[in-house]
Amino acid sequence: MENFIKHIKFFISERNPEDNQKDMKDGIMEECDRYFKESIYLAAEAISELATKRIEDGDTILIFNRSQLVVKILLDAHNAGKKFRVMVTDSRPDLRGILACERLTAAGIPVSYIYINSVTYAMTEVTKVLLAAEALLANGYVIGPVGTGMISLVANTYNIPVIVCCETYKFSERVQTDSILFNELADPCDILSNVRSDVAWQNHPNLHLVNLVFDATPPKFISIVITEVAELPCSSAPVILRKQLNTCY
Amino acid sequence: MIPYDTKFQELSSRLKLASGTSRTSVASGCDLFVRFITLRSKSLEEDVWDSKNFDNLKNHLVERGKHFMKRLSGSRKSIAQLAYPFIMDGVTVLTTSMSRVVMEILAKAHEKCKKFKVLVTISEPDKRGHRMVKELRSRDITAMPILDSSIGFVMERVDFVLVGAEGVVENGGLINYIGTYPVAVMARSLNKPFYVAVESFKFYRMYPLRQTDLPNESKYLSEDEAEHPVVDYTPPQYINKLFTDLGVLTPSAVSDELMKLYI
């Protein structure tokens, strides 16, 4: 959102202040539409094209949670005739991986579904890990749904390439080295669903329920970041940021 | 421009086929050459590109080609100038196979009266390490060939490793004659610095994730897949520094340089 707002502010500052209000509004709406089309829809197409080249026949691809971009890449690769299977990793409390499962199985792709707890076991069969990012920070850290860091760590231990797909509008100037700074907490009561216990978990003086939303993955666990502009190593995120800043100021 | 483009592609393919084990460096050199000579810079050259005068355009392409070749031929000397201070008195340097850039650096250090010793891995299958030893000895540098399998044995005595390159890929990884990767892993394991001396024209727009991601034309000399590969890929985490004509770079900076060229 940060980048989009900067872009629109810059666009507004470039406009002729003499313009009437209607023209100004129309211009801004048009620019918003153009930005969404280029940075989100077309970027997804470009990333899919680059990412499907990385998927080979016989691969077992591990994905996490549900990401529209990752599911799109897998569907495109399947439509291109590649023969592979997918391992969908899921985590409580959201269990959003089920949605990914539904879409992939509907297309005829063989899918295995596991909870994130068994990822060390599953990783022995996996050939590639395909993840999406919420943001890519200036120091190369990848912000993703909580659990991404763990999966990247395990994949790295087993020497399995971790491919992160990220559109350039998600690149941020922020710098962060751990998951606690700048995170979000979701409703702690979500953790309590399906918990069978006699203890009253809400309002217990010694118990603090933490439902983190994001986590930060260090660049050393990521093999490659695929953006619509280029395929780059995580550490080169500042190069793209520099180009974006140059066009903005 | 399109007929010229296909002509360049044709010439590049012929060069690559003829180049034997150096296919990667020839491929990257050709790509960069084509990119360099067809680069349009805004100011003066608009009229050259837009005019219908073919001779003007041809002269322009030839000029840029000559400029590129001039920069290329000077690159080894500038790398030697940059890298020789890293060789201090009394060091033992380990290198693999035969590299003219490394030779230039060692010769420069010797010229500046540094006393050092060089160990060269023989580099099966074509044993090109022997050629390197012969060249070094002809310049009065103390050099000794060692078995590829004895790198574990000698690594504790080595101060740093300096190798050349066939190509450097987008993430800063190295493509070099087969046997380089184990040396890098061994050096990392014993905390010895691993340096690569490479000209900037060898920066290649490729991003392998594993050994099998290297294209077959780079790995095998003939169509026969039962043959042993001639190159291997060393991931960037094993490389400390790259000495190039653009300066001393870390592997992460290679991506930066490539993007400046291509994007």
Side-chain angles (χ1 to χ4, degrees):
Chain A
M1 275 308 273
E2 202 179 285
N3 287 339
F4 168 64
I5 291 169
K6 264 194 208 140
H7 181 86
I8 289 296
K9 274 178 158 172
F10 179 65
F11 176 78
I12 294 171
S13 69
E14 292 258 280
R15 298 278 295 188
N16 187 352
E18 308 296 310
D19 268 357
N20 70 44
Q21 218 188 43
K22 184 177 184 302
D23 277 345
M24 188 76 106
K25 272 193 198 166
D26 287 341
I28 295 173
M29 291 304 291
E30 214 175 277
E31 182 61 20
C32 288
D33 286 335
R34 193 196 65 82
Y35 187 89
F36 291 147
K37 184 164 174 232
E38 271 181 24
S39 301
I40 303 179
Y41 303 123
L42 291 178
E45 292 292 331
I47 292 175
S48 177
E49 214 178 286
L50 287 171
T52 47
K53 285 197 194 119
R54 297 272 168 189
I55 299 176
E56 291 155 350
D57 284 339
D59 265 342
T60 300
I61 316 249
L62 186 112
I63 69 171
F64 178 58
N65 244 352
R66 172 190 179 241
S67 158
Q68 284 190 344
L69 181 58
V70 169
V71 171
K72 177 186 158 56
I73 291 168
L74 295 172
L75 291 174
D76 287 346
H78 182 71
N79 293 337
K82 309 251 172 141
K83 305 265 174 289
F84 57 92
R85 60 180 259 251
V86 178
M87 214 172 268
V88 177
T89 323
D90 211 353
S91 69
R92 284 194 66 240
D94 298 327
L95 292 178
R96 288 189 295 176
I98 293 176
L99 294 156
C101 258
E102 283 171 1
R103 284 190 70 192
L104 294 170
T105 46
I109 303 175
V111 173
S112 303
Y113 177 84
I114 59 169
Y115 266 16
I116 198 170
N117 321 50
S118 40
V119 79
T120 46
Y121 166 73
M123 203 56 84
T124 51
E125 289 181 18
V126 168
T127 55
K128 295 190 173 90
V129 176
L130 188 58
L131 301 169
E134 292 286 330
L136 201 80
L137 304 183
N139 59 350
Y141 275 66
V142 169
I143 304 290
V146 66
T148 309
M150 199 164 106
I151 290 179
S152 308
L153 171 68
V154 177
N156 199 250
T157 316
Y158 285 88
N159 258 327
I160 292 165
V162 176
I163 303 170
V164 168
C165 301
C166 185
E167 298 94 325
T168 52
Y169 78 87
K170 290 178 176 166
F171 280 54
S172 165
E173 282 156 43
R174 215 169 66 198
V175 169
Q176 195 176 315
T177 53
D178 58 57
S179 305
I180 296 299
L181 188 71
F182 291 124
N183 209 325
E184 278 179 33
L185 283 176
D187 187 356
C189 293
D190 287 344
I191 307 181
L192 296 178
S193 61
N194 291 335
V195 167
R196 290 182 287 266
S197 170
D198 297 326
V199 175
W201 284 47
Q202 287 108 316
N203 307 318
H204 196 288
N206 295 341
L207 183 63
H208 187 188
L209 295 168
V210 180
N211 188 3
L212 281 176
V213 180
F214 301 116
D215 71 12
T217 307
K220 64 180 177 186
F221 296 147
I222 313 257
S223 315
I224 180 175
V225 175
I226 302 183
T227 69
E228 72 272 22
V229 176
E231 294 177 322
L232 25 99
C234 251
S235 47
S236 292
V239 181
I240 301 286
L241 272 172
R242 204 169 58 213
K243 293 206 183 296
Q244 281 182 342
L245 282 176
N246 282 342
T247 55
C248 252
Y249 297 112
Chain B
M1 278 310 290
I2 297 164
Y4 307 132
D5 206 42
T6 42
K7 195 72 188 167
F8 285 137
Q9 299 294 350
E10 203 187 291
L11 290 168
S12 302
S13 321
R14 281 166 65 182
L15 264 175
K16 279 176 224 178
L17 274 174
S19 52
T21 57
S22 318
R23 261 180 219 160
T24 320
S25 46
V26 170
S28 60
C30 290
D31 283 348
L32 279 165
F33 178 73
V34 173
R35 182 129 183 120
F36 188 80
I37 62 173
T38 53
L39 196 66
R40 295 180 66 150
S41 70
K42 280 199 180 148
S43 51
L44 307 164
E45 298 158 16
E46 281 294 347
D47 53 331
V48 176
W49 291 97
D50 294 334
S51 81
K52 306 281 190 247
N53 190 340
F54 175 71
D55 279 331
N56 253 353
L57 183 62
K58 187 170 145 192
N59 288 338
H60 175 77
L61 287 177
V62 170
E63 270 305 309
R64 287 193 75 83
K66 284 187 184 159
H67 184 69
F68 185 82
M69 294 311 293
K70 192 161 158 224
R71 264 179 61 176
L72 228 69
S73 50
S75 53
R76 264 188 224 145
K77 288 221 161 16
S78 48
I79 295 172
Q81 187 62 31
L82 210 54
Y84 85 83
F86 282 76
I87 301 173
M88 293 172 286
D89 274 324
V91 297
T92 303
V93 184
L94 175 67
T95 186
T96 65
S97 83
M98 166 80 198
S99 164
R100 283 166 290 186
V101 186
V102 173
M103 181 70 71
E104 190 86 25
I105 297 173
L106 296 172
K108 182 99 190 172
H110 184 70
E111 194 190 310
K112 298 280 176 184
C113 301
K114 311 257 183 156
K115 305 268 171 293
F116 57 91
K117 206 163 82 171
V118 185
L119 299 173
V120 186
T121 63
I122 292 174
S123 308
E124 296 278 353
D126 63 9
K127 299 196 177 58
R128 49 179 65 185
H130 283 304
R131 266 176 30 216
M132 183 82 170
V133 171
K134 197 164 151 206
E135 263 281 342
L136 286 166
R137 284 179 179 165
S138 72
R139 290 168 201 248
D140 284 328
I141 298 174
T142 321
M144 207 168 86
I146 58 166
L147 285 176
D148 293 342
S149 29
S150 64
I151 48 165
F153 182 78
V154 303
M155 195 58 82
E156 54 191 38
R157 284 184 268 153
V158 162
D159 290 296
F160 63 85
V161 183
L162 177 64
V163 301
E166 285 297 324
V168 172
V169 292
E170 274 195 81
N171 59 359
L174 171 70
I175 297 182
N176 200 18
Y177 197 72
I178 193 103
T180 310
Y181 183 28
V183 174
V185 174
M186 198 64 229
R188 172 51 53 115
S189 165
L190 270 82
N191 291 320
K192 306 285 176 183
F194 185 88
Y195 301 132
V196 179
V198 60
E199 301 96 315
S200 60
F201 74 83
K202 288 178 179 165
F203 286 7
Y204 200 26
R205 263 216 111 174
M206 182 163 64
Y207 203 130
L209 296 176
R210 303 169 304 185
Q211 305 296 329
T212 48
D213 286 344
L214 293 178
N216 278 348
E217 315 82 72
S218 303
K219 283 192 291 206
Y220 305 105
L221 287 175
S222 67
E223 292 297 314
D224 182 11
E225 283 221 6
E227 208 189 293
H228 296 294
V230 291
V231 291
D232 62 21
Y233 161 66
T234 305
Q237 59 260 38
Y238 298 104
I239 301 173
N240 287 86
K241 302 267 187 302
L242 291 113
F243 301 127
T244 74
D245 45 319
L246 301 168
V248 181
L249 308 173
T250 56
S252 4
V254 172
S255 171
D256 199 339
E257 294 296 329
L258 269 170
M259 276 199 259
K260 276 194 210 152
L261 287 168
Y262 283 97
I263 299 182

